[in-house]
Amino acid sequence: MKTVSKALRIVSILAEENVDLQLGVLANRSQLDKATVRRMLLALCDHGIVEQNPKTRAYGIGPAVLQLARRRESARPLLKVVEPVVMEVSKKVGETTHFSTLSQGELSVLCSAESNQPTRVHIGEGSRLPLHTSGAGIAYLAAADDSFVEKVLGGVLEGNTQRSLTSKPEILAAIETARLNGFASTDQISEDDVCGVATAVIAGDGILLGSLAIATPSHRFDTKKEKRNAEALLKAAADLRKQL
């Protein structure tokens, strides 16, 4: 299992980037020695999960991932159902909206629709969101099993801003509030000058799929905006539950 986890860590790092990465960069970012990373890469290349550029010798995501993604979408559509909803919510509230799914202990943004306002929050597809100190993460934890929450809070709880949630009691309090309200509302806990409202997306069969969230510059965020964003998200999540 450790070998599989290491290989998946490498794939996850490659998936975050829009450019190919050299062996040394992958070793540094994965915190593994070069020999181990090279061995993992060779195995992943053999299966088409990773490919190597013959000119630069750098590595990137391989074509087999496309086959896996298509098979997943065919068997259980997600992106093609969620993406139009994300765009609709963004247009309705006038703010950046995104949907994220669990990946390697964090949330990874699957699709995003940016606000068309001059001042807006940029959240690119593939961005990583910590579970314990992001609006999307708190919303996800609020819908997750207690055992999963305990596992997350048992790890290292680092922050990105002065307002980040880094202690177990305050994170549990935020989770409880999100459970009571049906959504999480956060103030600059993941990024300075960014406020967020988020709710969990649950399929019709009860499977927790991810989080739907709206990110707003703090100078445009108030109780009226919070209410409007929350209402839009809750309606969207209810609609998605009927479709997924």
Side-chain angles (χ1 to χ4, degrees):
M1 289 300 293
K2 289 184 178 180
T3 300
V4 174
S5 295
K6 291 176 182 177
L8 290 175
R9 191 189 315 172
I10 293 169
V11 173
S12 179
I13 292 170
L14 290 172
E16 293 174 16
E17 301 294 334
N18 292 321
V19 296
D20 294 346
L21 300 177
Q22 296 287 344
L23 173 62
V25 175
L26 285 168
N28 182 57
R29 291 184 55 178
S30 64
Q31 298 183 331
L32 298 170
D33 62 81
K34 284 188 177 182
T36 297
V37 174
R38 188 191 302 276
R39 186 169 64 253
M40 299 293 172
L41 288 170
L42 289 174
L44 290 167
C45 285
D46 285 343
H47 292 279
I49 303 298
V50 170
E51 62 184 1
Q52 185 179 34
N53 186 309
K55 293 183 179 180
T56 65
R57 312 304 295 171
Y59 296 88
I61 293 295
V65 173
L66 293 174
Q67 298 172 14
L68 293 173
R70 286 173 180 168
R71 180 69 62 85
R72 173 59 170 78
E73 277 292 290
S74 176
R76 189 171 183 140
L78 179 61
L79 182 59
K80 70 179 182 181
V81 175
V82 171
E83 193 167 33
V85 174
V86 169
M87 296 177 68
E88 181 182 352
V89 172
S90 179
K91 184 177 179 180
K92 181 177 181 179
V93 303
E95 302 292 353
T96 297
T97 304
H98 57 91
F99 173 76
S100 53
T101 58
L102 187 66
S103 174
Q104 297 288 296
E106 294 181 307
L107 290 179
S108 177
V109 177
L110 183 63
C111 59
S112 175
E114 283 199 7
S115 163
N116 58 9
Q117 301 196 56
T119 304
R120 58 186 180 270
V121 180
H122 171 72
I123 300 180
E125 295 177 0
S127 297
R128 312 289 291 188
L129 306 173
L131 285 168
H132 68 283
T133 189
S134 68
I138 296 298
Y140 188 93
L141 291 175
D145 293 337
D146 289 340
S147 58
F148 179 81
V149 174
E150 285 297 320
K151 181 180 179 180
V152 171
L153 300 189
V156 179
L157 303 174
E158 298 180 343
N160 298 324
T161 75
Q162 291 185 342
R163 300 192 183 191
S164 291
L165 307 182
T166 56
S167 73
K168 186 175 180 178
E170 63 182 350
I171 297 168
L172 287 174
I175 291 171
E176 183 59 28
T177 299
R179 285 174 175 169
L180 291 172
N181 294 334
F183 64 91
S185 181
T186 55
D187 182 5
Q188 305 179 73
I189 68 170
S190 182
E191 185 178 349
D192 287 327
D193 302 320
V194 175
C195 294
V197 176
T199 192
V201 174
I202 301 172
D205 57 7
I207 295 178
L208 176 57
L209 298 176
S211 289
L212 186 63
I214 299 171
T216 306
S218 58
H219 70 270
R220 278 205 303 269
F221 195 77
D222 53 25
T223 54
K224 184 177 180 180
K225 188 79 167 181
E226 177 189 59
K227 181 180 179 181
R228 184 186 181 196
N229 289 359
E231 288 175 347
L233 287 178
L234 292 174
K235 182 182 183 305
D239 291 342
L240 285 171
R241 183 160 192 157
K242 297 175 183 177
Q243 299 179 61
L244 294 169

